[in-house]
Amino acid sequence: MAAFYFDSFKNHDSTPINDIIGSITQEYSKHHLDLKQQQIEAWKDSIELMKLTYKYLERFIPDVSNWSILYEYKIPRRAKRIDIVLLSGNLIFVVEVKNHQTIFNAHDIAQLEDYCLDLRDFHKESKDRLIVPILLCTDAENRSNSLERSEDYVQRTLFANKETIGYLIREIQNLLAGHGQPIQGKSWNESPYSPTPTIIEAAQALYSGQNVKEISRNHAGIDNLTKTTDAVINAIKKAQKTKSKIICFITGVPGAGKTLAGLNIVHNREFMTDQKEIGVFVSGNSPLVKVLSEALARDYVKREGESKPEAKRRVKTFIHNVHEFIDEYYDDKTKLPVDRVLIYDEAQRAWTKEQKNRKSKGLIKESEPEILLSIMDRFDDWSVIIGLIGGGQEINSGEAGLREWGKSIEEKFPNWTVYISPELMQGDHSTGNLTLFDTIPSGIKVVEDKDLHLNVCIRSYKAQELSRWVGMVLDGHSDEAKLILENNLKEYSIYITRNVDTAKKWLREKAKGTRRIGIMASSGARRLKAYGYDPYHGLRGDSSQDELGAWYLNPAQDVRSSNFLEIIATEYAVQGLELDWAGVFWDADFRRADGKWEYKQFKGTEWQNVSHKQWMQMQFILNKYRVLLTRAREGMIIWVPNGDSSDRTRLPDFYDITFKYLTSCGINEI
């Protein structure tokens, strides 16, 4: 994790420029990087400017000689390096240098802020320290700066040119001196760096030939992920050796990386043979397939210079739609799949036989679990199915759930050995309190393995207890929820407001760098239409790849981007995906009354009750909010409208009691 050059600021001043460049280029060559003369000239200009800066600062700051300076400090998650880092007594100056550039552009600002945010979140020696981003465009005109301390550890981005850089550093050092413990340069340079990739970043890394470990280092969640990967690989080897059929279920808390685990297994280069993956990765989550495919295509165009149509064609094999997979193999009962290992993401969402029959217009009469088992059962010797289970997240009618897998195994495929986590054996909050079997059927071999459960949330890397808190909120245990929030979620921001503009302002303040913000609501939140947010016309599961790609991937200035806070997404568009900061807009389809939750559907012009006889529909509504409340990596704000006493569909009582309950769960109002 060390920089290409590291020394005290004083030694840097007395060291010849060519010696410093020599040290940097030597490290450059070790990393097999393509070195161009233009890069050497840029280093020379930067070193000369930093020497002048030192001469200026030593006139005003007595201990500047004790500062440390670093060039080319690597940020693995970004696959980039910071141009210059200055470590003063207690501050971290992160300087992005644009030699001979005359303008400060948005792309450079976002890149610089990303570096600083990643240091804040993933760099051990930068934790709880003030980080000052400076964009140095050497030939730009003077630009005014806000010289005041920010509440965030990452300060406001400052703008300098070659004439003002020394003055700016001096002013900030004087303003912020004394905040925090002294920084030890050597320890900082060698500090552990433990990034947590988004699912999009992880997919891009795997597709480009990297191992996920290369962008995710020393994180408890990655250790957990490695154990799970090893457990599944061992199960595959067992099936090969014994010529048997195995179905393996991976469970985990929301955001624990179940999809990442599946992608890591099927696309990890360590497990490839003859440059071919060991299996096929399928998903019934259409938005996930579309967004990852779009992200991979864009990344491929950027890396390889191919056309977008060619890129889309190439990445199509990375992740498949499960319904297309079934269509390919269902009719011809003798056709063997190309791969002996099938990884099915969100297997609990497989369709029931009724849903499959309806969607196929009567041509298919079995449930998807039964169909997939029958397809993979065609091999004479061995085959493996790996089901990734997001318990408690069934959100649509026609989704079979866990029990359909258990039923199919028990009734039709008792020859399959079942590998299962203790959580799926017994049921807990991570599985929606559901189990694969009511009781273990006789004649079926079940192997229990604790490593098949991912218990560390890596989506919300600041909140490994988030899913448990959400579970308590939805189960009506406000006192327990409050304790979890106060004791275990101190670094994760959760707020609530009655004002939608306050919610959007809060989100915009979090949108530094390329961090993603966005607003979402239940698809049943139909009376948000009165406030200008109708989920029916928002981002949905059936939205096109272009629409989904724009929302998740386009820059903040694009009106189609999630960051623009104009298009609201439903649970169907966000399940399995994530944002950095989320706004959850709460409507009256899920409301508190008389100390319990009430479940509603808006039909025609009225809210209608969902009765206890419609228990599955009640579960879907509950799970919709579970999905919404577990999408954010860094924090969220919940907006509960005030309602309108003149509108019988938006009466204040529909919202006030819910708001009061949520605040009793420990959420602070702003």
Side-chain angles (χ1 to χ4, degrees), residues 71-87:
Y71 290 106
E72 301 292 334
Y73 189 76
K74 189 177 182 182
I75 301 290
R77 180 167 174 248
R78 302 288 165 192
K80 299 278 189 179
R81 292 175 303 279
I82 300 173
D83 291 335
I84 301 172
V85 177
L86 279 177
L87 304 175

Side-chain angles (χ1 to χ4, degrees), residues 264-324:
N264 194 39
I265 291 164
V266 78
H267 292 288
N268 196 314
R269 267 50 182 178
E270 293 179 38
F271 310 124
M272 292 179 70
T273 57
D274 300 324
Q275 297 301 306
K276 184 181 181 302
E277 289 82 1
I278 63 170
V280 58
F281 187 98
V282 302
S283 177
N285 185 339
S286 177
L288 177 72
V289 174
K290 292 174 182 176
V291 171
L292 289 188
S293 297
E294 178 68 19
L296 293 176
R298 292 187 185 191
D299 187 57
Y300 190 82
V301 168
K302 184 178 179 181
R303 285 188 295 106
E304 304 296 336
E306 293 278 5
S307 67
K308 186 70 174 291
E310 173 63 14
K312 285 186 174 182
R313 185 189 69 79
R314 284 181 175 272
V315 305
K316 194 173 183 180
T317 59
F318 186 82
I319 180 171
H320 304 256
N321 186 295
V322 68
H323 311 305
E324 294 176 359

Side-chain angles (χ1 to χ4, degrees), residues 613-648:
K613 293 181 179 179
Q614 299 169 286
W615 65 271
M616 185 58 77
Q617 188 61 40
M618 293 171 63
Q619 190 66 44
F620 289 153
I621 295 172
L622 182 76
N623 288 345
K624 289 176 182 182
Y625 279 84
R626 191 189 311 278
V627 168
L628 298 175
L629 292 170
T630 55
R631 292 307 96 192
R633 286 163 56 87
E634 297 191 53
M636 63 179 151
I637 187 165
I638 299 170
W639 170 50
V640 180
N642 285 309
D644 185 346
S645 58
S646 66
D647 182 347
R648 68 180 185 276

